[in-house]
Amino acid sequence: SIVLTGKLETMSREEMIEMIESLGGKTSASVSKKTTFVIAGENAGSKLEKANQLGIKIYSEQEFLDKIKV
């Protein structure tokens, strides 16, 4: 699952969730051991900290968009 945290720059959180789901991904509201990666925007807080503690991959919004070539 993919977790979004912080303020996104290029689209709303809802648009990002729709895009992820249209590509077959699943989103979650909280970080856990089952989280695949986190997309971190501006002012990311406790979710980013937890992802770091668990060693979960973190992408910026732009890194994620580049990865999926949008």
Side-chain angles (χ1 to χ4, degrees):
S1 70
I2 300 166
V3 175
L4 305 174
T5 185
K7 181 173 175 14
L8 302 177
E9 294 180 26
T10 63
M11 62 184 70
S12 72
R13 185 174 297 260
E14 292 77 22
E15 290 171 322
M16 180 68 83
I17 289 170
E18 286 178 19
M19 182 175 54
I20 290 167
E21 291 176 350
S22 75
L23 295 169
K26 295 183 181 183
T27 59
S28 175
S30 61
V31 175
S32 73
K33 289 184 246 178
K34 294 181 180 180
T35 302
T36 307
F37 61 87
V38 171
I39 301 171
E42 271 186 64
N43 300 318
S46 61
K47 291 178 189 176
L48 180 60
E49 290 174 25
K50 186 165 185 182
N52 278 318
Q53 290 171 353
L54 294 173
I56 294 169
K57 176 72 177 160
I58 298 164
Y59 292 102
S60 70
E61 179 182 359
Q62 193 57 56
E63 287 171 327
F64 176 71
L65 294 174
D66 289 346
K67 187 172 182 69
I68 62 169
K69 309 238 188 298
V70 170

